[in-house]
Every structure is written in C-alpha cells, then in structure tokens.
Amino acid sequence: MDDRELLETARQAVDDSYAPYSEYRVGAALETDDGTVYTGCNIENANYSNSIHAEELALSKAIEAGHRSFERIAVSSSKRDGITPCGMCRQSLREFCDDDLRVICENEETPEAKPVVYTLGELIPNTISPETLE
C-alpha cells in the first residue's frame, strides 16, 4: 500500500465519524510494521475534551491487537484541509511510535495533489517521553 492508498483508507474512515457539534469529521489509518492497517474516526460529544480522536482510536485498536511497532499514519478530514494530528494525538503517538513515524496528510491545494508527509519528530520536537520522566 502506498501513501495515497493509506490516505484513501483514512478518507474512508471519515465516513464513520460522528461530529454533530463541530461538523468536522476526521479519519485516520495507521499501518503497523507488518503491514496491518487499523482505522479510526473522531467521535465527539458536547464536551469536546472527552471526544475520541481518530488517530487515538486507530492506535488503540492496534495496541489492543498486540502491535507495538508502526510505520505510518494517514490523517484526513471532511474538509481535506491538510490536517495534522493535534497535540494530544501527537503525544499519544509519541508514546508508542518513533520519531521517524511517517505522518501522511491531505494537501490543502487539491485532493489529487501529492500528500504532504512529515515525520512525527518534525511535528513534535521536545515531547514528553519515558526518558524525560526518569
């Protein structure tokens, strides 16, 4: 599966989102080191701080299945606006993923444009890690 296919899988996960308040639907597709892909979508409620984020849902499914090594995550929104994982999701990903985890996002120009690719380390320098807690 290439980056565009993983992003398309994240786009499909957007359809399962539940976002009646913000109407901002998000989907994510997380690929493990063995090529298994787990998806997640945002599920919000009136108290946004208790909403479930797409990236964290995909990550929790993978962890529940016993995975601890990940290659890439793709993130898409209903607006296809170049969304990247939020700060909370970045910290959750950092707990289980290395800095070189590839983060594939929509290109803000057009859906057909080449996806934008970051590394987790580029998105979250200086995050809390097990080493910083020692």
Side-chain angles (χ1 to χ4, degrees):
M1 179 178 290
D2 65 19
D3 288 353
R4 287 182 188 269
E5 291 171 315
L6 191 65
L7 188 53
E8 182 56 36
T9 302
R11 286 180 188 143
Q12 291 169 5
V14 169
D15 295 338
D16 296 324
S17 294
Y18 177 77
Y21 305 100
S22 70
E23 297 181 5
Y24 192 73
R25 298 156 51 107
V26 179
L30 176 66
E31 182 181 39
T32 66
D33 64 342
D34 71 0
T36 305
V37 175
Y38 293 88
T39 61
C41 62
N42 64 321
I43 303 168
E44 72 178 31
N45 57 49
N47 179 352
Y48 289 118
S49 66
N50 290 330
S51 294
I52 300 169
H53 296 202
E55 301 91 332
E56 292 179 316
L57 184 55
L59 180 63
S60 66
K61 287 179 183 178
I63 291 168
E64 180 182 40
H67 294 279
R68 295 294 186 276
S69 184
F70 306 97
E71 293 294 319
R72 313 178 279 170
I73 189 167
V75 183
S76 181
S77 74
S78 56
K79 301 189 186 309
R80 295 192 178 176
D81 58 358
I83 187 174
T84 60
C86 72
M88 290 187 308
C89 291
R90 293 175 190 188
Q91 186 62 53
S92 295
L93 290 166
R94 176 61 177 91
E95 186 72 24
F96 296 95
C97 304
D98 294 328
D99 285 346
D100 62 352
L101 175 79
R102 295 180 66 228
V103 181
I104 302 146
C105 306
E106 299 279 5
N107 189 313
E108 293 183 57
E109 296 171 17
T110 66
E112 297 78 29
K114 184 177 178 180
V116 179
V117 180
Y118 304 93
T119 65
L120 186 60
E122 290 172 328
L123 292 175
I124 52 171
N126 305 317
T127 58
I128 298 169
S129 68
E131 294 80 26
T132 60
L133 296 175
E134 293 178 346

